[in-house]
Amino acid sequence: MFGIKLFALMCITFSLTLMGALVFLKGFLLSRTVVEQASMCNEDFVLKADDHSGHGIKGCWMHGRFKRAIIIVIDALKYDFMVYNESLHSAEYANSPFKNNLKVIHDLAKRHPAHSLAFKFIADPPTTTLQRLKGLTTGSLPTFVDAGANFQSAEITEDNIIDQMRRQNKNIIFLGDDTWMSLFPNRFYKHYEFPSFDVKDLHTVDNGILDHFYEEIQRPDWDIAIAHFLGVDHCGHRYGPSNDAMRNKLLQMNDVIRNVTHQMHQDTILFVMGDHGMTRTGDHGGDSSDELEAGLFIYSPTQITSSEQTEVAAISQIDFVPTISLLLGLPIPFSNLGMVIPELFSHCPWWDTDTHEVRRVYHRVKALRLNVLQINRYLQAYDEIASDLPDNILKDLQTKIRQAEDELKQVVPDLVSGGHPERILKQFQNIEKIYKLYAHTAKETCQGKKTGGTQKVVRKQKSTKFDVMHFVGNPITKSGMMAVSICLVLRSAHMFYVCREEQSSCKDSFFHAPLSTVDKAFANQRYVFSLVCLAMMVYFVRQWLKYYGNMTGSEAGVITMRYAPPIAAVCIGLYWALQAVPESALEALSPWQQAVLAQAVYMVVILALSVIFIWPLLVYNHPTSLSPGAAILNQADLTSVIPNLYNKLKVQLSSSPKDQTPPVVYGLGTVYCASLVTFVSLVSLVLALLLGDGVAPSLALATVSLYLCLEMYSAIVAITHCSNEHGSQDEDYDTDSDTGPLFSGLVMLNLLSSTFFYATGHQATIPSIRFESAYTGFYGNFTNMILPGFLIWLNTFAGPVFFVLASPLLITWPALKGVMRWTTQDSEKRQQQKTWQGDFKLFNNGIKFRKDMFQLCCGIITISGLKLFSAGCAAALHRRHLMVWKIFAPRLVYEVAFFLTTSVCVMLTYLFILRVDKALNKFVDSLPSNSRDKRV
């Protein structure tokens, strides 16, 4: 009960710390108040704007230019993928699979320059698909914390272009990513959705779209067609952009665009866009230029612009919302902050704008005015609800809009009466400039952009590595060789670091590339290296258990550790080999065949952990005596049977029960350590599977680092104990006799956790999250996101999970006869040692052992809480820093996740120790009563 009470106190401490962190996050992270209002056709300012409503397609705020629109979203269509370079050499084309594949865009722009436009389509971070779809349909800006909703999308309730289309009786057909169905349920006239989360599946969604797309757009019963292709994005996640699979997907998209343009009518406009870009490793989610720069291509069989495009401009993705709204004659959604694309409103086929520049500018001004008045109305409504917009900026915006309105009232009569064209043109250009400035200022205000320092803090992982080296190199150790070994191991872990997007000179090692994309010669070497590291982890754990006698006997736990780790390791190796199979051969296998090996690993490990939890002791009670006849036959021939039998009976009859030999129990001296090592080694097999063959060897380095640091720590504890006048009388010191070494051990373990967070291929950024790990051993679409989220979590925090689960070894390991501890004792003291109990001596004082465990767990939670507090202080201090959402806010969120992971793992470990202690108490009670108090 005492241990349970301490656990309850630990849970209370954890809960209070977590609640404090969540309160801070709620106040620090940006949140956006949703204004539940919708734009209507009969707005007051519309009546003053559309003075030429008699021509064109009838619309709400402005006459429409097109009756139909086709929207093709190519997920992760980076702008570089859309560019066609005529001077590209064949060798460079072969080495850059993502270049010069969308030739149809180049051909259309060259043949019909007035019918097409291309832009850099700049996304607003976070560059996750769900947040980009929100921006592309509502015109609003996502917040940093919205990225977490990418796993479980909810219906969009604020005003958006889909609902505006429905209000104007537009029939919408949708094909592709099923995320749209979660965001807009019951909105589509027809829909063909496909599961989108399986990043290993390159073709199901795209091929499913193509099975219906061409047929649907040939029918007359639709107004808006939306197709969201996922193959390019999934190819990036799986192989990266520099793989031949990317060329195949982009060529497929090239054919799609060509076929669609051939079937378009004069009243239709086409938008081909990417929702975000991708990094050189195929990831996205952050705010690097590679992730933000998507591509946008606009085309219609009829003229859409008055002049040929000379250079590619950069526009915001939310500019798509007001643009398509006015082109189709729809109201602009109420919460929109985007600005219309002016080039699309300079041409009006019903008003002879090609030969009259004043008319072109006026047509742009008319669209901009409607756009700005809509933004102004939204800002006023938002300020009434939230009251968090700067008053001085709002007043300045109101001044701008009044200035533009006043000038417009003066110039419109001159336009009608045919006044001086140059003066009118100049006035309209000035009004256009004011409207554009208003739109840009409003967006920047809502984004919360502030000028500040531009330095970038991106070398955090090296500082943690230096701290660990500084710790293990303390002069108190007496063994420079082991300190050097630890330094070498930690230095070797640098091979598995992944680069941040800001580190332009940094290049990821080939350990992070999918095995199927690595050159064959290097692929074989990497695979063999990973197998050797995996085999070494299993072998050395087995040899350690065998050395201390924990593999003796036929108990359930012993049998489990004898067979489960090798079986799991073999399945992991075969699964890794399967990932190296070419895509064509892999696709030939059924989904269950691709996943069965990983599922076998999960089943073996779960079964083994269940057995270890039920029978956690790896000990064997050896019989202490043989029958008299057997004892004689083992040591003499038949001629001495009678004398030896007589002597044996004489000894037994003359001895008292108190003189009987105590039981011989194999593995009792490492009863706690063995159970912990078993538990950690089984979990590490799952972590190795999730990390993949490239990064899994870092777990072998983590194992070696843990062993060496525990040996160094044990030596420090021994030296500290020997320097204490009360501790030098007994070799079996108490681990809690001095809190200094224990605290230093906690710091050491925390620094190792931070170091191997980076050494397992992660950074405190969204793009470094390995979403593909969710499908390790699974296929198809998940109905619930708990399991994939848990697998991604384990992959992300593999290093911290490994070291925190092993943290109780800081208490139990110093009781073993470690190499470093043995070398720190003089020969005289070693000769005086007559008995050795190992960590079994901790059982003799159960209250003190539980207090030690409670101190250990609280120490780990406290250190993680201090790191979280420091990250919160840094984020608060730099809240106006230019890099706050790139460096400090992600770091804060990761520290919250790190704290949560550490706390949960340390509490699970504490419960496991209580289970081991309970089983050990039952085992000791089963021993003969006269031997329980003897030293064994």
Side-chain angles (χ1 to χ4, degrees), residues 75 126 209 694 732 738 775 825 916:
D75 209 292
I209 294 173
D732 286 322
D738 191 308
Y775 281 88
Q825 295 176 341
V916 174

Side-chain angles (χ1 to χ4, degrees), residues 621 657-658 660-665 668 837 840-841 843-845 920-936:
N621 188 2
K658 294 183 180 181
Q660 292 181 1
T661 305
V664 178
V665 181
L668 195 59
Q837 287 187 320
F840 179 70
K841 71 183 179 61
F843 177 79
N844 295 329
N845 195 340
L920 183 57
N921 187 67
K922 183 178 179 180
F923 175 80
V924 172
D925 288 342
S926 68
L927 297 176
S929 59
N930 64 318
S931 63
R932 293 176 189 170
D933 297 330
K934 293 182 178 291
R935 298 170 67 90
V936 293

Side-chain angles (χ1 to χ4, degrees), residues 589-698:
L589 299 176
S590 60
W592 73 267
Q593 290 174 323
Q594 300 179 35
V596 66
L597 290 170
Q599 291 178 352
V601 176
Y602 294 140
M603 293 176 61
V604 169
V605 172
I606 292 174
L607 179 62
L609 287 174
S610 301
V611 171
I612 293 300
F613 184 79
I614 298 173
W615 297 284
L617 302 184
L618 301 182
V619 296
Y620 174 61
N621 188 2
H622 192 275
T624 58
S625 61
L626 298 171
S627 63
I632 294 170
L633 292 176
N634 282 341
Q635 57 182 319
D637 55 12
L638 293 178
T639 59
S640 59
V641 168
I642 301 301
N644 285 327
L645 179 60
Y646 172 77
N647 291 331
K648 184 70 174 179
L649 292 174
K650 180 179 178 180
V651 171
Q652 289 187 346
L653 292 173
S654 61
S655 61
S656 62
K658 294 183 180 181
D659 297 329
Q660 292 181 1
T661 305
V664 178
V665 181
Y666 286 92
L668 195 59
T670 53
V671 61
Y672 290 107
C673 286
S675 298
L676 282 168
V677 169
T678 298
F679 179 57
V680 174
S681 63
L682 289 173
V683 173
S684 66
L685 290 173
V686 176
L687 298 179
L689 175 66
L690 294 175
L691 289 174
D693 71 289
V695 187
S698 64

Side-chain angles (χ1 to χ4, degrees), residues 116-137:
S116 59
L117 290 169
F119 298 94
K120 283 186 179 180
F121 208 34
I122 307 301
D124 295 291
T127 50
T128 50
T129 295
L130 184 141
Q131 281 62 48
R132 292 295 80 241
L133 293 183
K134 285 185 177 180
L136 287 169
T137 54

